[in-house]
């Protein structure tokens, strides 16, 4: 088995025109069947398995075995908890099940920071699969998921278009799409959206991300490292180049995943919605990596707020939300990796969201007082909107500079002569 995997080519998802050409050809039977509102469950699963195998072919063959181990692990955890939940509902069993589901990801994230080596459990897409399985356990606890069987679980976990880079889907939404193929008219509109997503993804990933990431960013980094110091104006070039590169690269991948999903009759949720025109940080997180931010909102933030308010940990509701913002965003930073700059990125956005909420409350209080005194309200027009967008954009870019890890290199590591 190992020799066979090593002999296979290593195809990174959506990496080359050849990949797209072969993938579209492989999807043709599915596309034709969808015109007649028919599913080809065995063929669809085989296509997912085939392209996932090629994703881990060649030098990355060990990741294929890590994926197999991971799927068995998650199946045992999810179905064991489902069996338990049908009879009882102890919160500590729930917490333990979530922890055991998270354990492979925790090991993969922590080992490089603690031991300086990568875990053999790691593979491309482990984070996104973990979000899927943990969400299922949480929805089973809530009573929203009942009687999940193996094949729907397996189909959801190995859905090829989104396995490597998201967007993060939910089992109930995905399964409803799968079990209810769209009508021909709806599917034609889905094909139209798929084509647009793929074309826009090509523009984002292979043109704009190339310009910012491969041409501008290395030169800006070289200039900034040569200048040295804690900060320099060349670092601003790195900040903007990296921020735009990250957006176009990640948004491009997301568009590819959405386009292929739509061709397969699955309406995978949108991941980006013009994030750089957000008026404030809260609006930004409703537009940036939406499937991730909504996952943390639903499964971390809201649950932490509920627990804190139920146990009356803080008397003030605003204090509760502020602490939860900080915890939620810090956890999101840790999810990216156990390094100071990822954690600082999370804390940065947590504090930013606290300030954002404070200003919204403060503005309401000021306007209430002004209205009571017969004074005009604080301005709220296109100019204040534009100012909000400008401030938010630059705050976000600063946070992405922190996220990039470049400041770690500038401050602590390499200073070229």
């Amino acid at each position: 088995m190992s020799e066979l995997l090593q002999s296979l080519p290593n195809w990174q998802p959506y990496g080359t025109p050849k990949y797209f050409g072969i993938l579209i050809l492989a999807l043709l039977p599915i596309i034709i069947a969808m015109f007649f509102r028919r599913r080809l469950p065995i063929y669809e699963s085989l296509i997912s398995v085939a392209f996932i195998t090629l994703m881990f072919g060649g030098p990355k063959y060990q990741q294929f075995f890590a994926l197999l181990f991971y799927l068995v692990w998650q199946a045992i955890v999810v179905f064991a908890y489902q069996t338990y939940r049908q009879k009882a509902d102890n919160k500590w069993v729930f917490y333990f099940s979530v922890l055991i589901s998270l354990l492979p990801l925790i090991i993969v994230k922590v080992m490089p920071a603690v031991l300086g080596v990568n875990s053999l459990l790691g593979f491309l897409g482990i984070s996104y699969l973990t979000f899927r399985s943990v969400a299922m356990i949480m929805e089973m606890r809530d009573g929203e998921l009942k009687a999940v069987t193996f094949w729907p679980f397996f189909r959801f976990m190995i859905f090829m278009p989104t396995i490597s880079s998201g967007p993060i889907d939910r089992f109930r939404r995905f399964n409803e799409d799968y079990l209810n193929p769209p009508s021909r008219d709806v599917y034609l509109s889905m094909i139209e959206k798929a084509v647009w997503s793929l074309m826009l993804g090509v523009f984002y990933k292979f043109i704009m991300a190339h310009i910012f990431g491969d041409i501008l960013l290395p030169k800006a980094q070289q200039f900034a490292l040569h200048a040295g110091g804690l900060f320099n104006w060349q670092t601003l070039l790195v900040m903007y180049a990296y921020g735009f590169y990250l957006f176009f690269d990640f948004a491009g991948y997301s568009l590819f995943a959405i386009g292929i999903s739509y061709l397969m009759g699955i309406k995978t949720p949108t991941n980006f919605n013009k994030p750089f025109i957000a008026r404030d940080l809260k609006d930004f997180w409703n537009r940036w990596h939406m499937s991730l931010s909504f996952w943390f909102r639903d499964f971390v933030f809201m649950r932490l707020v509920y627990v804190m308010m139920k146990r009356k940990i803080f008397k003030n509701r605003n204090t509760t939300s502020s602490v939860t913002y900080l915890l939620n965003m810090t956890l999101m930073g840790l999810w990216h990796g156990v390094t100071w700059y990822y954690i600082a990125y999370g804390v940065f956005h947590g504090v930013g969201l606290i300030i954002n909420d404070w200003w919204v409350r403060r503005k309401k209080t000021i306007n209430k007082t002004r209205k009571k005194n017969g004074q005009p309200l604080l301005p709220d027009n296109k100019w204040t909107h534009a100012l909000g967008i400008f401030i938010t954009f630059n705050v976000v870019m600063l946070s992405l500079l922190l996220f990039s890890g470049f400041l770690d290199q500038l401050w602590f590591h390499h200073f070229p002569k």
Side-chain angles (χ1 to χ4, degrees), residues 160-179:
M160 176 270 301
T162 60
I163 193 171
S164 63
S165 58
I168 304 163
D169 210 344
R170 313 286 177 90
F171 177 82
R172 286 185 297 153
R173 199 219 62 77
F174 174 89
N175 205 44
E176 185 177 352
D177 272 8
Y178 190 88
L179 296 177

Side-chain angles (χ1 to χ4, degrees), residues 45-304:
S45 296
L46 289 174
I47 289 299
S48 284
V49 170
F51 277 87
I52 290 171
T53 302
L54 289 170
M55 185 168 76
F56 298 130
K60 297 188 177 181
Y61 76 97
Q62 291 182 339
Q63 292 190 30
F64 181 83
F65 296 109
L67 171 63
L68 290 181
F69 170 81
Y70 179 86
L71 290 173
V72 172
W73 178 277
Q74 294 298 341
I76 292 172
V77 175
V78 169
F79 287 110
Y81 182 75
Q82 177 177 251
T83 302
Y84 168 80
R85 182 65 182 87
Q86 291 168 350
K87 301 174 183 178
D89 181 22
N90 183 283
K91 66 179 181 181
W92 295 110
V93 175
F94 165 67
Y95 294 151
F96 180 73
S97 299
V98 170
L99 177 62
I100 294 301
S101 181
L102 286 169
L103 188 58
L105 178 62
I106 293 173
I107 293 172
V108 168
K109 295 291 185 181
V110 170
M111 270 193 66
V114 176
L115 301 179
V117 295
N118 292 326
S119 170
L120 293 176
L121 298 177
F123 61 89
L124 182 63
I126 186 173
S127 293
Y128 295 100
L129 292 190
T130 302
F131 284 124
R132 298 179 194 182
S133 57
V134 169
M136 291 181 72
I137 293 172
M138 290 186 170
E139 290 182 335
M140 286 173 179
R141 171 84 193 284
D142 297 340
E144 296 175 353
L145 267 187
K146 300 176 181 178
V148 176
T149 55
F150 176 75
W151 283 114
F153 167 82
F154 180 74
R155 186 166 56 224
F156 174 61
M157 292 295 284
I158 68 160
F159 185 58
M160 176 270 301
T162 60
I163 193 171
S164 63
S165 58
I168 304 163
D169 210 344
R170 313 286 177 90
F171 177 82
R172 286 185 297 153
R173 199 219 62 77
F174 174 89
N175 205 44
E176 185 177 352
D177 272 8
Y178 190 88
L179 296 177
N180 299 283
S183 65
R184 183 171 299 183
D185 288 341
V186 172
Y187 185 61
L188 286 172
S189 68
M190 290 175 68
I191 289 180
E192 183 179 351
K193 181 170 182 177
V195 172
W196 169 250
S197 296
L198 293 173
M199 292 177 63
L200 187 59
V202 167
F203 176 68
Y204 277 12
K205 169 63 182 171
F206 296 118
I207 298 178
M208 298 305 294
H210 173 70
I211 291 172
F212 285 103
D214 297 331
I215 299 176
L216 299 179
L217 181 58
K219 293 180 180 179
Q221 289 175 330
Q222 184 180 2
F223 293 152
L225 290 172
H226 182 76
L230 290 177
F231 206 86
N232 50 65
W233 70 265
Q234 292 90 339
T235 301
L236 291 176
L237 299 179
V238 176
M239 182 177 82
Y240 291 114
Y242 179 80
F244 281 119
Y245 159 71
L246 183 65
F247 166 71
F248 285 118
D249 185 72
F250 196 9
Y253 274 119
S254 295
L255 286 166
F256 292 149
I258 291 169
I260 298 301
S261 298
Y262 269 61
L263 290 178
M264 298 178 71
I266 301 294
K267 294 181 180 178
T268 292
T270 301
N271 225 12
F272 292 90
N273 180 24
K274 302 175 182 176
F276 294 142
I277 63 168
R279 286 189 58 188
D280 54 44
L281 276 185
K282 203 166 188 177
D283 186 27
F284 171 78
W285 281 108
N286 286 330
R287 295 170 176 271
W288 175 274
H289 205 343
M290 295 156 62
S291 63
L292 176 69
S293 62
F294 294 165
W295 193 97
F296 270 91
R297 178 197 65 190
D298 296 342
F299 296 114
V300 179
F301 179 82
M302 297 302 295
R303 290 168 189 268
L304 284 174

Side-chain angles (χ1 to χ4, degrees), residues 356-372:
N356 189 105
D357 261 20
W358 170 85
W359 169 242
V360 170
R361 294 193 302 270
R362 180 63 178 163
K363 185 177 178 181
K364 286 182 179 178
T365 302
I366 293 173
N367 280 337
K368 187 176 181 180
T369 303
R370 283 173 167 265
K371 185 177 181 180
K372 185 177 180 180

